[in-house]
Amino acid sequence: MSALESKGANLFPTQQLGRLGALYVLGLVAGGGCSDPLESGKTGGGGATAGGGVTSVGGEMGSGGVTATGGPHGFGASGAGGGGGLPGSGAMGGTSGTAGSRGVFGMPCAINQDCPSGSICCDGSSESCNGTRLPSGDGVDPGEFVVSADGLTATDAVSGLIWQRDGSGTRTGCIGVGNTCAWADAQAYCASLVLGGLSGWRLPGYRELSTIVDFTRVDPSIDPTAFPNTPKEWFWTFGPYKGMPLPSPPYAWHVNFGMGNATAEPEYDSDRLRCVHEALHCYPAIRFVSLDGGMVSDAITQLVWQQPTNGWTMPWADAKTSCSSVGFRLPTVKELISLVDPTLSSGPTINQSAFPGTMPAGYWTSTPYAGDSGNAWMVYFYAGSFGPDDINNANAALCVR
């Protein structure tokens, strides 16, 4: 492994175990229109056509409602009303179009009853609900971040999260050097923050913070337009480290925006912070669904994974070839991070019901490390950390499509 700039690297030894196989994507079943289990945010059906007039001068049939267009996060627009029939004997107007269906993930809610069957109302303040949609590739999607008119926040159009842009300014209540905070002080700062007319800010979850890492950059590893003046330092997440045996003093997860890696840090140490805001939304009660052929679908990212079938390890190039030979590919680092479950205290840090053959080891991603062409990114399911490793080392592979 290359140098990781990792405070607390001893907490997560790399164990090189089994090679994993690939998995499969299941979109959430939308409620309206003709439901298709592989599509989220299905469009609504058009309005019914009008019956013709019974006389020789029958009115024209009313046009049906326009079908709904699926919007971001699976939101369908309402169907347009059907047009009325022309004057004539017996003619009648078309009925109104059916409202567009809404996908389960991302739909705004206040209570569970606001959500479709099979989903719950929550937000990322619960570690079990901080999975998000993922940008394509290793960096960010073009136009992904929308900066507010006042310049204080940046909204991620892919995940829907709203981020505090400033990563280095004054943090009230924090006493660390250079506006850094101990973990508890960082949480208190975000909880009291009012920014851009919004309250209800919090520290981001482990997986949430990793979505804004730009793995095509280093020093800093983040979009400099959306997040200017970001220090090349560690940033807190709200997640406590739960690996066994529990360290003393307690640790919490943090992400390094110098190179992009993540590990855990004693809670009394001081780090940077960037707050996030998110409204309550509908989240799938069952995220992973087993499919025939040894595959698993993810209802949030809509990726399909091959379940691990053996314990092989191999260099990076061989891992890529192994996945492509069976019609899959190595995941990007953000895709593989999305499978990490930091709430687990034993065994591999992944959903062990969906991925029962996963070993507590390092797994290759397709993402090269921007700081050294001889390294590529890995996710360590021993504890949940991620970082770059030498491409000639032998590690496991978990394939996706």
Side-chain angles (χ1 to χ4, degrees):
M1 182 185 296
S2 61
L4 296 186
E5 303 176 24
S6 172
K7 304 182 291 182
N10 292 335
L11 202 60
F12 312 110
T14 303
Q15 298 185 12
Q16 314 226 352
L17 300 171
R19 173 187 172 245
L20 308 186
L23 311 172
Y24 193 83
V25 183
L26 180 63
L28 301 174
V29 179
C34 297
S35 61
D36 185 333
L38 296 181
E39 294 184 25
S40 177
K42 191 74 177 178
T43 57
T49 56
V54 295
T55 67
S56 59
V57 191
E60 294 185 9
M61 294 188 295
S63 60
V66 179
T67 58
T69 302
H73 312 298
F75 295 111
S78 295
L86 294 180
S89 175
M92 61 181 181
T95 63
S96 60
T98 303
S101 62
R102 298 188 172 193
V104 171
F105 180 75
M107 178 179 171
C109 59
I111 56 176
N112 286 341
Q113 286 77 5
D114 294 336
C115 296
S117 175
S119 61
I120 58 176
C121 184
C122 61
D123 64 20
S125 62
S126 166
E127 285 180 308
S128 61
C129 290
N130 69 17
T132 70
R133 300 280 195 215
L134 299 174
S136 60
D138 303 316
V140 296
D141 290 342
E144 178 181 351
F145 295 107
V146 180
V147 177
S148 61
D150 58 16
L152 298 177
T153 65
T155 298
D156 188 332
V158 175
S159 70
L161 298 171
I162 303 174
W163 294 93
Q164 179 184 26
R165 292 186 74 205
D166 172 41
S168 60
T170 300
R171 300 295 189 253
T172 304
C174 296
I175 59 175
V177 176
N179 295 316
T180 58
C181 305
W183 186 60
D185 293 337
Q187 293 187 85
Y189 166 80
C190 288
S192 64
L193 181 65
V194 177
L195 186 69
L198 296 173
S199 57
W201 295 82
R202 57 176 172 83
L203 281 179
Y206 164 98
R207 289 174 296 193
E208 291 173 331
L209 190 57
S210 69
T211 64
I212 64 170
V213 176
D214 186 341
F215 290 97
T216 66
R217 309 173 188 265
V218 292
D219 298 328
S221 53
I222 195 168
D223 185 326
T225 301
F227 304 103
N229 305 316
T230 297
K232 300 176 286 184
E233 299 176 23
W234 295 90
F235 282 70
W236 285 120
T237 79
F238 74 74
Y241 173 67
K242 297 183 179 180
M244 297 297 288
L246 286 172
S248 180
Y251 279 55
W253 287 102
H254 63 170
V255 175
N256 178 11
F257 281 89
M259 64 186 297
N261 59 312
T263 184
E265 174 82 349
E267 295 175 4
Y268 63 76
D269 279 358
S270 293
D271 279 344
R272 299 282 183 176
L273 70 141
R274 169 173 278 119
C275 306
V276 70
H277 184 279
E278 178 191 30
L280 289 169
H281 62 274
C282 298
Y283 195 92
I286 300 176
R287 176 177 173 181
F288 297 107
V289 178
S290 296
L291 305 173
D292 292 339
M295 297 182 292
V296 174
S297 65
D298 184 339
I300 293 177
T301 63
Q302 299 189 3
L303 294 172
V304 175
W305 298 86
Q306 186 181 45
Q307 289 179 317
T309 57
N310 57 57
W312 295 343
T313 62
M314 64 205 80
W316 186 53
D318 292 343
K320 291 190 288 185
T321 299
S322 178
C323 287
S324 63
S325 69
V326 291
F328 286 79
R329 60 177 173 81
L330 271 184
T332 68
V333 62
K334 291 188 179 184
E335 289 171 341
L336 195 55
I337 291 169
S338 75
L339 297 185
V340 174
D341 186 345
T343 69
L344 297 178
S345 59
S346 63
T349 51
I350 192 171
N351 186 304
Q352 295 168 32
S353 296
F355 304 96
T358 307
M359 304 300 291
Y363 284 77
W364 284 122
T365 79
S366 64
T367 305
Y369 174 47
D372 184 342
S373 61
N375 286 260
W377 284 93
M378 294 182 60
V379 174
Y380 302 97
F381 285 105
Y382 170 73
S385 57
F386 54 90
D389 195 14
D390 189 303
I391 60 175
N392 296 308
N393 286 341
N395 294 290
L398 183 59
C399 307
V400 71
R401 70 183 181 195

